[in-house]
Amino acid sequence: MDYEIVTLKEKIAVGVSARTSNTSPEMGMVIGQLWNRFYNEGIYASIPDKVNAKALGIYTDYASDEKGEYTVMAACETSKVPENTGDLVIHRIPAGKYAKFVVKGDMQKAVADFWQELWTMDLPRTFHSDFEEYQNHDMENAEIHIYIGLQEE
């Protein structure tokens, strides 16, 4: 699987979150309900100061590695931390080095297949913040940029 190494500045993300693990039988349901809530309850529309219209799927607060629990977020990048967050969660994606992958195709299948393959790769991951940046909203012909946090050498 091809990727490029990129250096990113810190990003502020605002959205909703849930806790799950890749071994949980409810993982798919938890993530699906999170995205459903993000769009269908007006959360996406209510987030102020969006940097762009792209949604972010964020994976953070790993208990260990891909085998442990983690927090998943449905979010978008903002130019500043909102003053009134209500029940929204704020996460700062740290500046640093990331492996950037580009996947295309059916949105759910392409992302699921990507993660299955990533787990077999030997990357020096930080397990701090990984994220998906959805370039479009076409479920059948999606383009998703996926950033995997890498340890600094």
Side-chain angles (χ1 to χ4, degrees):
M1 195 161 44
D2 294 332
Y3 62 91
E4 67 175 305
I5 303 295
V6 297
T7 301
L8 300 178
K9 295 180 180 177
E10 180 183 77
K11 296 177 181 288
I12 300 169
V14 178
V16 290
S17 69
R19 192 92 176 141
T20 191
S21 75
N22 295 328
T23 57
S24 169
E26 285 88 35
M27 184 226 0
M29 182 184 68
V30 167
I31 293 173
Q33 287 176 344
L34 191 65
W35 282 105
N36 185 51
R37 182 174 167 224
F38 185 66
Y39 283 113
N40 296 332
E41 293 181 15
I43 293 168
Y44 172 80
S46 73
I47 296 173
D49 304 311
K50 290 181 192 74
V51 170
N52 55 45
K54 298 171 186 168
L56 302 177
I58 302 171
Y59 306 88
T60 188
D61 300 328
Y62 288 90
S64 55
D65 56 19
E66 70 274 2
K67 296 177 183 94
E69 286 191 347
Y70 55 87
T71 298
V72 60
M73 287 183 71
C76 55
E77 183 180 357
T78 61
S79 58
K80 62 183 180 182
V81 175
E83 290 182 24
N84 182 10
T85 58
D87 65 346
L88 297 178
V89 175
I90 298 164
H91 176 69
R92 292 181 183 271
I93 298 171
K97 188 167 66 166
Y98 290 80
K100 177 185 175 184
F101 298 83
V102 177
V103 297
K104 297 178 181 181
D106 176 85
M107 191 175 288
Q108 291 178 332
K109 182 173 179 0
V111 170
D113 289 350
F114 165 81
W115 286 104
Q116 290 293 323
E117 190 168 344
L118 179 76
W119 298 333
T120 67
M121 295 178 70
D122 187 25
L123 287 175
R125 296 179 60 190
T126 62
F127 291 100
H128 184 277
S129 283
D130 303 316
F131 66 99
E132 304 155 350
E133 184 178 70
Y134 293 85
Q135 304 301 305
N136 60 33
H137 299 286
D138 186 336
M139 291 296 290
E140 295 175 7
N141 296 299
E143 179 175 331
I144 306 112
H145 297 180
I146 303 177
Y147 298 84
I148 305 300
L150 299 177
Q151 297 173 11
E152 297 291 337
E153 296 172 3

